[in-house]
Amino acid sequence: MQCVRVWSSLSRAAHRAAYRAAWTRTQSHAAAARLDLSGIYPPIATPFTAMEDVDYQKLEENLHRYAKIPFKGLVVQGSNGEYPYLTEEERVEVVRTVRRSLPTGKLLMAGSGCESTGATVQLTEKMAAAGADAVLVVTPCFYKGKMDSCAMIHHFSKVADSSPVPVVLYSVPANTGLELPLDAVLQLSQHPNILGIKDSGGDITRIGLIVHKTKTQDFQVLAGSAGFLMAAYCVGAVGGVCALANVLGRELCELERLCVSGRWEEARVLQQRFIEPNAAVTRKLGVPALKQAMEWFGFHGGACRSPLQPLTEAETQQLRQDFSSNGWL
């Protein structure tokens, strides 16, 4: 009889837990249907002290400057935030710090991707509790030979099922060595808690096809680089998460305005001036170059966390040339 009472009590507790989880998912799915991602986001850098600790004071000073730029929001703990080199506790604390400083109405998209599904689920919940409006989940890649469409659909579906906030897929083949397969994107676009994708691959035909194939879904595509931002707008993207926005944020917001208003000739001239500096701070010289450029434009960039190394003198000169030859310095 006692076992029956205990089982009954456990059953009621399990029912209550399941109800709470279902309610949370319902609220999250409703939020996904409402959240408008359109606009420009800088994937913010993480400043460090000379001892390679996170420099929260300099981070907040950067945030105060970004608050004056008409961004839609900020991406926190993306690739340019050096998230692979931060502990889980640091990743969450950086998001918490940004949330405290972020003006009302600005979206906070937090990177919560990990290699395992379980770890991603747990970190996603912590990012939501720290104040994220949505999470950006990168493709797991260590066992890239086994990361086929089936594995990706399973992973992202499990994360989205349990996430308290909407999920944005993140495909960045330059860093992960793999691209989120198109068929997986199309199937995942039907999940009520998957809001869209940040596609950093630069294949405009793929971006256009994703937009075309998901037009019956409430699925939003963000360009993952300033180098092809105008082209992405041309085929239906709603915005961009652009490393260069850490440096030329106001100018990229102007490009967005020109594209949205159909002023394509003016947009083309501005877009062309972004191509070389954008390549310099992304595929050519990477995060160390982005942080160096931030210093030139009055932001706190500073050194990267080891093992990333500072630019050489020759690389610094090349970086300056890429900005100055396009009229930015």
Side-chain angles (χ1 to χ4, degrees):
M1 187 64 178
Q2 186 176 6
C3 289
V4 172
R5 285 196 297 270
V6 170
W7 173 255
S8 177
S9 175
L10 289 173
S11 179
R12 286 195 299 273
H15 179 77
R16 286 194 297 270
Y19 178 83
R20 284 195 298 271
W23 184 88
T24 298
R25 287 194 296 271
T26 299
Q27 298 303 305
S28 179
H29 297 171
R34 292 194 304 270
L35 203 58
D36 176 15
L37 295 179
S38 59
I40 301 299
Y41 303 76
I44 64 171
T46 305
F48 296 106
T49 68
M51 299 299 293
E52 296 195 1
D53 296 320
V54 176
D55 193 327
Y56 291 101
Q57 180 178 341
K58 288 186 176 178
L59 173 61
E60 290 182 358
E61 290 172 7
N62 283 345
L63 294 172
H64 290 319
R65 288 203 61 190
Y66 289 142
K68 301 173 184 177
I69 301 173
F71 293 132
K72 183 60 174 282
L74 304 179
V75 167
V76 187
Q77 290 304 292
S79 302
N80 290 283
E82 299 175 66
Y83 79 86
Y85 297 165
L86 272 66
T87 67
E88 180 180 289
E89 292 76 15
E90 287 174 325
R91 291 175 71 178
V92 174
E93 185 56 34
V94 168
V95 169
R96 191 176 290 118
T97 300
V98 173
R99 179 79 275 170
R100 286 195 300 265
S101 296
L102 200 62
T104 303
K106 301 287 188 181
L107 294 180
L108 195 167
M109 198 183 312
S112 65
C114 302
E115 281 299 306
S116 79
T117 304
T120 305
V121 166
Q122 292 176 14
L123 186 54
T124 294
E125 292 173 351
K126 291 178 181 179
M127 291 303 197
D133 298 300
V135 289
L136 185 67
V137 181
V138 70
T139 51
C141 62
F142 187 82
Y143 299 107
K144 61 175 58 68
K146 301 299 291 182
M147 292 297 103
D148 57 11
S149 293
C150 181
M152 292 296 188
I153 290 168
H154 175 83
H155 173 75
F156 284 106
S157 296
K158 288 289 187 183
V159 173
D161 283 346
S162 63
S163 176
V165 294
V167 171
V168 177
L169 311 174
Y170 183 17
S171 181
V172 55
N175 288 353
T176 63
L178 57 85
E179 191 167 58
L180 186 56
L182 179 62
D183 63 318
V185 174
L186 299 184
Q187 182 161 334
L188 290 166
S189 73
Q190 301 175 49
H191 193 293
N193 202 31
I194 293 180
L195 188 58
I197 184 171
K198 176 196 173 188
D199 196 311
S200 298
D203 184 342
I204 293 301
T205 59
R206 169 185 156 93
I207 291 174
L209 192 57
I210 291 172
V211 172
H212 176 62
K213 292 290 187 180
T214 62
K215 60 187 176 184
T216 59
Q217 311 293 331
D218 186 15
F219 191 74
Q220 303 169 69
V221 179
L222 296 169
S225 176
F228 53 87
L229 183 61
M230 176 184 166
Y233 270 113
C234 285
V235 296
V238 301
V241 180
C242 308
L244 194 61
N246 283 288
V247 178
L248 299 174
R250 196 173 297 279
E251 293 80 1
L252 276 162
C253 289
E254 173 63 9
L255 178 57
E256 175 215 4
R257 189 182 69 83
L258 293 172
C259 291
V260 170
S261 60
R263 296 163 61 180
W264 296 110
E265 187 61 28
E266 294 169 82
R268 179 182 62 81
V269 173
L270 188 54
Q271 173 66 84
Q272 289 174 342
R273 294 176 61 207
F274 288 140
I275 294 172
E276 288 182 309
N278 178 75
V281 301
T282 55
R283 61 182 175 81
K284 282 171 62 177
L285 300 172
V287 180
L290 175 64
K291 285 188 155 184
Q292 175 60 71
M294 289 174 66
E295 294 286 339
W296 291 339
F297 284 83
F299 296 95
H300 296 297
C304 296
R305 184 171 271 184
S306 181
L308 281 178
Q309 295 296 297
L311 299 181
T312 65
E313 182 59 33
E315 288 171 333
T316 302
Q317 291 177 3
Q318 180 60 60
L319 178 65
R320 182 173 286 277
Q321 173 65 22
D322 287 335
F323 275 88
S324 61
S325 65
N326 289 281
W328 300 120
L329 283 174

